[in-house]
Amino acid sequence: MSDTSSRAKKTKANPMWGGRFGVAPDAIMQKINASIDVDKRLYAEDIAGSKAHARMLAKAKILTAKDAAKIVEGLDKVRVEIETGRFTFKTELEDIHMNVESRLAEIIGEPAKRLHTGRSRNDQVATDFRLWVRGACDRAELALREFQRALLDKAQAHAGTIMPGFTHLQPAQPVTFGHHLMAYVEMAGRDRGRFADARRRMNESPLGAAALAGTSFPIDRHFTAEALGFDRPTANSLDSVSDRDFALEFLSAAAIASMHLSRLAEELVIWCGPQFGFVRLSDAWSTGSSIMPQKRNPDAAELVRATSGRMIGSLIGLFTVMKGLPLTYSKDMQEDKARSFAAADALMLSIAAMTGMIDDLAINEARMKASASAGYTTATDLADWLVRELGMPFREAHHVTGRIVRRAEELGIDISELALADMQAVEKRIDKRVFKVLGVENSVASRTSFGGTAPANVRKAVTAARKRYL
């Protein structure tokens, strides 16, 4: 017999489930099996679920009203102990459910042993975790709303601030900074929609599904579902305890939102550099160097950019855990909470940081406009003019404009600075009216199609977005 087995025999079996076992688990088994260091964050949800369950048991006359009242009162005392730091979490009790129930038994005695009637830790944890993820969706959605508010305030202030719009990170066409920020308002709006949609789909109660097959006790699952704010109980007991698609949906929404935040963070990093000089992050959102006194590092933006990898990793990690599990519950699912908690924490911090950066962001309007004027960004305006005024097919106008751009490039000037004779040498029908469309101000002002960058459009879009999102 191994030394490990000998050590195990000296201790008693687990008091919560040890009737089938003669000795306690090995110390290493206890360590790998315990989840209390992670799932103690579910204490509020666990206590809420137990209170609803106890009241339902009393309503169904499975428990006496007196015992149910003692259980509810005792659970309230446990919650106070946890929230005031007077509760001792015990690894040997494995998880939040057993820690709460054990302490409840110490407080109220015999009635605590009746609480687990008609349920299992399988449906208990599924319920607790759904409640927590549902709350995480709500918290993320509210944080993204505040992020949109910051973007909208800045977009309104810079509805007419001209900057280059990019494709391939090369100057493409003039846009306004307000219009650029409004793109992220729309992304955040869809992110909020994903969290809200996931919340609606997960808002069903697994409580009462028991271990996997339901229970023979005359429980009322609709009662507990309503008590916990769910729309309805889950329809299949096997599915109730064995799937974590609600967590995957949350993680997916978090990963997509973090990707959007990362893209804006990347732009801030680029724009802060002297090569662009478009924006300046305040001291509150920058750091210095230990060796180079001149440095201002956009570390907050860089960390938001990096943190997205953690959230995407959490999603892929849980997908990998779940992909091969047969029905119903397997202990592999214990990995769901650490990944979800970490992703939720990272997301909330990233949103808060990005909101703060946008609020404090200083804009170098002159630098943006000068950059918008470089790189022949009004070439498309010239091509459009040829189509509109001369009736030229667009593909032909594209070639004509390309030849005019090449001539301006040879002379080292912008298209708007070319002499009319230079343009007419390429296309004789061009007249002086063309100069009205070649300046960047004229360019952005002309983009009046719905969703376009014209300052008037941006101001209308901000007003509409405030009504839609705030």
Side-chain angles (χ1 to χ4, degrees), residues 40-57:
K40 62 186 176 184
R41 286 181 63 162
L42 296 175
Y43 77 88
E45 291 79 10
D46 192 72
I47 289 170
S50 290
K51 288 169 66 174
H53 186 66
R55 289 174 173 136
M56 180 276 296
L57 291 175

Side-chain angles (χ1 to χ4, degrees), residues 40 50 96 115 123 131 158 241 270 286 297 304 368 373 394 405 420 443:
K40 62 186 176 184
S50 290
I96 187 61
L115 173 59
D123 63 329
L131 287 170
H158 292 279
V241 300
I270 292 171
S286 305
N297 299 324
V304 168
M368 281 189 172
S373 299
F394 182 80
V405 168
L420 181 58
S443 177

